[in-house]
């Protein structure tokens, strides 16, 4: 997609219709078999794409960053190369069919609202 500043960016999204969810996680990928889902995704942070985030059907309940050595890799000066990983844990979804599970990884600005009429 094209960002507001004109940069061409890539977006990764799920589309689990009609039977693709079973390729991502073990499940009965049939509309009659509904379940709840608790997703967790870890992204390797990329200095060229600092705004890269994960989104799903439910809000993020936990988010943390870990820095660890990249095994077998050294810089020109001999020091170990380190990689930064950011993990997003999402709240449990309502009971739903697998084709409705959504996971998006992109440089997007999210908008979150709370209904004022008490709806959930």
């Amino acid at each position: 997609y094209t960002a507001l500043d004109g940069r061409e960016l890539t977006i990764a999204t799920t589309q689990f219709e009609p039977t693709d969810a079973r390729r991502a996680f073990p499940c009965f990928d049939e509309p009659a078999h509904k379940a709840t889902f608790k997703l967790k995704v870890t992204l390797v942070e990329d200095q060229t794409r600092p705004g890269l985030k994960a989104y799903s059907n439910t809000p993020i309940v936990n988010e943390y960053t870990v820095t660890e050595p990249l095994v077998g890799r050294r810089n020109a000066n001999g020091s170990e190369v380190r990689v930064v990983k950011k993990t997003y844990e999402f709240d449990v979804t309502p009971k739903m069919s697998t084709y409705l599970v959504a996971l998006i990884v992109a440089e997007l600005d999210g908008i979150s609202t709370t209904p004022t009429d008490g709806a959930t």
Side-chain angles (χ1 to χ4, degrees):
Y1 66 96
T2 303
L4 293 175
D5 63 6
R7 292 179 300 145
E8 291 293 319
L9 301 173
T10 302
I11 185 170
T13 65
T14 55
Q15 177 157 353
F16 289 144
E17 296 182 69
T19 57
D20 292 323
R22 65 183 78 167
R23 292 176 20 192
F25 49 83
C27 64
F28 291 104
D29 197 7
E30 298 291 333
H33 298 291
K34 297 180 181 346
T36 59
F37 300 89
K38 183 161 178 49
L39 300 180
K40 178 166 85 169
V41 63
T42 300
L43 307 176
V44 175
E45 289 197 346
D46 183 344
Q47 292 179 358
T48 64
R49 298 187 63 187
L52 200 61
K53 294 181 184 175
Y55 302 87
S56 189
N57 301 71
T58 55
I60 295 169
V61 293
N62 194 15
E63 186 177 328
Y64 55 91
T65 303
V66 176
T67 302
E68 56 189 40
L70 191 56
V71 178
R73 297 289 305 269
R74 298 250 175 223
N75 288 323
N77 65 4
S79 63
E80 65 183 10
V81 174
R82 301 190 65 77
V83 64
V84 178
K85 295 180 179 181
K86 186 158 196 171
T87 298
Y88 298 87
E89 294 180 13
F90 297 93
D91 205 354
V92 177
T93 68
K95 198 171 188 181
M96 62 188 197
S97 297
T98 55
Y99 73 88
L100 296 173
V101 175
L103 183 60
I104 300 167
V105 177
E107 293 177 68
L108 300 173
D109 289 326
I111 298 173
S112 180
T113 61
T114 302
T116 57
D117 62 1
T120 57

